[in-house]
């Protein structure tokens, strides 16, 4: 199942049901249409959405560069638009590196690196408990054993790993 996330100008908001119907009619795989109701905010970089039409479960499977990532945009930060940037950074990783990813989210950097590169170890640190839950699910979903998801604040948790990594990846939110 897929979801569509839309922004509708204020003057067209009364027609949001018509917009959702048109999207779902044209794209049969879309089961839910979400309306963006806020910019990203807070420590977890999430935003408020309103379900215009469709099922209440907004969890979706995103496939990117051969990796499967389970996400729920209502509880975690994730942007599929950053896939090109993720690929650009991943291409710079060398074999046998140990890598730590700050602000790891649901694990796209860590999972793609572990799946595509022959690395020793990848650790991701994320402060959002919902994102870490998805990160752990995504590790299993991609059948990886050299990735670790850590719940916590990067400023504190990174100290536990001082001088253990060849590369630090710190994506911008």
């Amino acid at each position: 199942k897929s979801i569509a996330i839309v922004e509708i100008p204020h003057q067209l908001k009364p027609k949001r049901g018509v917009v959702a119907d048109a999207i779902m009619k044209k794209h049969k795989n879309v089961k839910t249409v979400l309306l963006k109701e806020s910019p990203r905010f807070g420590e977890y970089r999430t935003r408020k959405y309103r379900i215009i039409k469709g099922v209440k479960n907004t969890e979706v499977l995103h496939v990117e560069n051969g990796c499967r990532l389970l996400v729920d945009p209502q509880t975690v930060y994730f942007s599929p638009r950053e896939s090109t940037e993720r690929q650009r950074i991943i291409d710079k990783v060398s074999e046998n590196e140990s890598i730590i990813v700050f602000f790891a989210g649901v694990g796209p950097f860590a999972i793609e690196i572990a799946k595509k590169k022959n690395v020793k170890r990848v650790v991701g640190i994320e402060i959002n408990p919902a994102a870490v839950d998805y990160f752990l699910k995504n590790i299993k979903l991609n059948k990886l054993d050299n990735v670790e998801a850590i719940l916590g604040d990067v400023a504190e948790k990174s100290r536990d790993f001082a001088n253990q990594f060849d590369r630090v990846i710190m994506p911008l939110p």
Side-chain angles (χ1 to χ4, degrees), residues 50-123:
R50 175 183 299 201
I51 296 175
I52 301 175
K53 185 169 185 166
V55 299
K56 292 185 191 282
N57 179 359
T58 54
E59 186 176 79
V60 65
L61 183 66
H62 174 75
V63 179
E64 177 176 303
N65 301 320
C67 297
R68 298 181 303 164
L69 300 167
L70 199 57
V71 301
D72 183 341
Q74 296 201 92
T75 61
V76 301
Y77 173 84
F78 179 78
S79 176
R81 291 183 181 156
E82 295 168 3
S83 66
T84 304
E85 176 65 3
R86 282 191 282 270
Q87 187 59 55
R88 185 184 74 79
I89 298 299
I90 291 163
D91 287 343
K92 296 182 180 300
V93 172
S94 300
E95 279 195 23
N96 295 315
E97 284 188 346
S98 293
I99 298 158
I100 190 164
V101 181
F102 293 170
F103 320 114
V106 300
F109 273 104
I111 286 166
E112 289 185 44
I113 289 167
K115 194 158 185 169
K116 296 178 134 194
K117 299 287 188 163
N118 184 20
V119 294
K120 290 180 193 170
R121 173 183 184 205
V122 184
V123 172

Side-chain angles (χ1 to χ4, degrees), residues 93-162:
V93 172
S94 300
E95 279 195 23
N96 295 315
E97 284 188 346
S98 293
I99 298 158
I100 190 164
V101 181
F102 293 170
F103 320 114
V106 300
F109 273 104
I111 286 166
E112 289 185 44
I113 289 167
K115 194 158 185 169
K116 296 178 134 194
K117 299 287 188 163
N118 184 20
V119 294
K120 290 180 193 170
R121 173 183 184 205
V122 184
V123 172
I125 302 174
E126 172 60 42
I127 199 166
N128 180 346
V132 173
D133 287 344
Y134 278 110
F135 191 173
L136 292 167
K137 289 176 185 178
N138 292 332
I139 291 168
K140 288 180 186 171
L141 192 61
N142 288 279
K143 300 176 180 158
L144 299 169
D145 60 6
N146 59 341
V147 182
E148 185 180 355
I150 305 290
L151 173 63
D153 187 330
V154 166
E156 297 166 11
K157 293 292 182 177
S158 62
R159 292 182 188 130
D160 298 341
F161 298 99

